[in-house]
């Protein structure tokens, strides 16, 4: 009785292709189109995908994603601020939005319909007889104000600071934590402006968030054991400008500074075992406290 000759193995994904190569992980035969280079031999696509799922993504020292090293959030925030500056100039129809008027050396350009709509404002009677402001339900102003600017020079100064501070913080914190820091610090500065500015005064600019980033960078650098000698002089210079240059919102800058520092403490010193939960809780407490203060201010204005 004669024996049948052994059959040549076929690729498990392409049965019509004969092959003697096997996946080093599951031992199934694979053809050249299905081979994926591995540290030893070759693997099939399914084993490669399964291995990727089992590998934990790289994290920063504070639990954030390593994608922050690419600075995508920083770049997006800058692009958004620039876009809104362009829209603000377009809405002005020949006014002084680009470089005119108020403030030190044109630092604070004139208002536009867009800044009138989105700046921090307690309450004010507009020329058309309508009353606008946060006290009258326009709570969005506490957010939109951190993306609007009075003049191109004002925008450029803030975007330069965001570029310098943002890349470092985003790389250390990760994209989501950095974005939360920026938004909450900006909110804190705008709430402070709402609390301590005249009810008919307007405030806008990314400076509220920028000052929060200054404070956060100091906290983060100290937590990582690094020197802050290069950061402090820049912060002091900005504080001097805040306190001496007319037209700058002192409450907004200081409010952002304090808020950013407090949130950075929660991000940097959360216990490793439950870091994400403590960081989330710390951020939530800060936001709730800010909204509570805004409610108090509203009650004072409309009461």
């Amino acid at each position: 009785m004669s024996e049948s000759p052994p059959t040549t193995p076929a690729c498990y994904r392409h049965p019509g292709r004969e092959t003697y190569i096997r996946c080093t992980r599951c031992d199934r035969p694979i053809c050249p189109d299905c081979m994926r280079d591995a540290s030893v031999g070759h693997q099939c696509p399914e084993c490669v995908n399964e291995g990727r799922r089992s590998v934990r993504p790289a994290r920063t020292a504070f639990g954030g994603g390593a994608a922050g090293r690419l600075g995508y959030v920083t770049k997006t925030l800058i692009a958004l601020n620039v876009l809104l500056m362009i829209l603000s100039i377009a809405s002005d129809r020949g006014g002084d939005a680009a470089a005119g008027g108020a403030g030190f050396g044109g630092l604070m350009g004139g208002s536009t319909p867009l800044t009138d709509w989105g700046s921090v404002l307690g309450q004010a009677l507009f020329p058309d007889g309508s009353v606008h402001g946060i006290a009258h339900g326009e709570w969005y102003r506490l957010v939109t104000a951190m993306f609007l600017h009075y003049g191109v020079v004002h925008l450029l100064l803030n975007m330069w600071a965001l570029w310098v501070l943002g890349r470092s913080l985003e790389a250390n914190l990760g994209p989501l934590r950095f974005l939360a820091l920026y938004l909450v610090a900006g909110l804190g500065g705008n709430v402070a402006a709402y609390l301590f500015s005249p009810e008919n005064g307007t405030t806008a600019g990314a400076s509220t968030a920028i000052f929060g980033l200054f404070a956060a960078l100091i906290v983060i650098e100290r937590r990582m054991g690094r020197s802050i000698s290069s950061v402090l002089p820049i912060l002091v210079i900005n504080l001097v400008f805040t306190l001496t240059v007319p037209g700058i919102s002192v409450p907004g800058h200081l409010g952002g500074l304090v808020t950013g520092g407090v949130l950075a403490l929660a991000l940097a010193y959360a216990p490793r075992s439950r870091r994400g939960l403590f960081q989330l809780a710390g951020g939530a407490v800060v936001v709730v406290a800010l909204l509570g203060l805004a409610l108090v201010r509203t009650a004072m204005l409309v009461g």
Side-chain angles (χ1 to χ4, degrees):
M1 182 177 178
S2 61
E3 296 182 358
S4 300
T7 58
T8 304
C11 175
Y12 81 98
R13 299 178 78 231
H14 303 97
R17 300 180 184 178
E18 297 180 344
T19 181
Y20 287 98
I21 302 172
R22 292 181 175 272
C23 172
T24 56
R25 187 167 181 176
C26 67
D27 201 39
R28 290 181 292 188
I30 50 177
C31 67
D33 288 340
C34 296
M35 291 188 306
R36 303 291 186 268
D37 290 333
S39 56
V40 177
H42 300 87
Q43 293 184 5
C44 65
E46 281 78 4
C47 287
V48 170
N49 292 333
E50 183 180 347
R52 288 173 178 170
R53 288 193 296 269
S54 64
V55 175
R56 296 183 62 184
R59 313 296 291 180
T60 71
F62 304 101
R69 297 168 186 167
L70 301 175
Y72 289 140
V73 173
T74 300
K75 296 171 185 176
T76 300
L77 289 172
I78 291 174
L80 179 58
N81 278 276
V82 171
L83 173 62
L84 288 175
M85 184 72 247
I86 294 172
L87 294 177
S88 182
I89 295 172
S91 75
D92 198 36
R93 297 182 180 180
D96 58 358
F104 181 77
L107 174 64
M108 306 293 282
S111 62
T112 71
L114 187 60
T115 58
D116 288 342
W117 169 82
S119 60
V120 173
L121 172 67
Q123 62 178 354
L125 179 65
F126 277 51
D128 62 0
S130 60
V131 179
H132 293 276
I134 299 169
H136 289 266
E138 297 175 346
W139 288 83
Y140 65 86
R141 292 175 178 270
L142 293 174
V143 177
T144 55
M146 72 180 81
F147 297 101
L148 298 172
H149 291 84
Y150 294 117
V152 172
V153 176
H154 186 203
L155 171 75
L156 292 177
L157 289 174
N158 280 336
M159 293 306 98
W160 172 79
L162 176 55
W163 177 249
V164 173
L165 299 170
R167 289 179 300 162
S168 175
L169 284 167
E170 187 177 351
N172 285 316
L173 295 173
L176 291 179
R177 286 165 175 79
F178 170 69
L179 179 60
L181 172 67
Y182 182 93
L183 295 176
V184 175
L187 176 65
N190 289 337
V191 168
Y194 180 38
L195 288 172
F196 300 109
S197 299
E199 62 182 86
N200 62 345
T202 57
T203 299
S207 307
T208 53
I210 298 299
F211 268 76
L213 299 186
F214 268 116
L217 184 62
I218 291 174
V219 172
I220 296 300
E221 293 295 292
R222 290 302 302 160
R223 183 70 176 93
M224 300 183 73
R226 298 172 181 167
S227 172
I228 58 173
S229 58
S230 62
V231 181
L232 282 178
I234 301 175
L235 176 58
V236 170
I237 292 172
N238 278 272
L239 286 173
V240 170
F241 269 89
T242 296
L243 297 173
T244 59
V245 175
I248 292 180
S249 173
V250 175
H253 286 193
L254 297 184
L257 183 73
V258 172
T259 304
V262 170
L263 183 56
L265 288 172
L267 294 173
Y269 290 91
R272 183 181 296 271
S273 59
R274 295 186 179 181
R275 175 185 289 145
L277 178 61
F278 275 83
Q279 290 173 336
L280 180 61
V285 169
V286 172
V287 171
V288 169
L290 292 173
L291 294 179
L293 291 172
L295 286 172
V296 171
R297 175 61 168 167
T298 300
M300 293 172 59
L301 292 179
V302 302

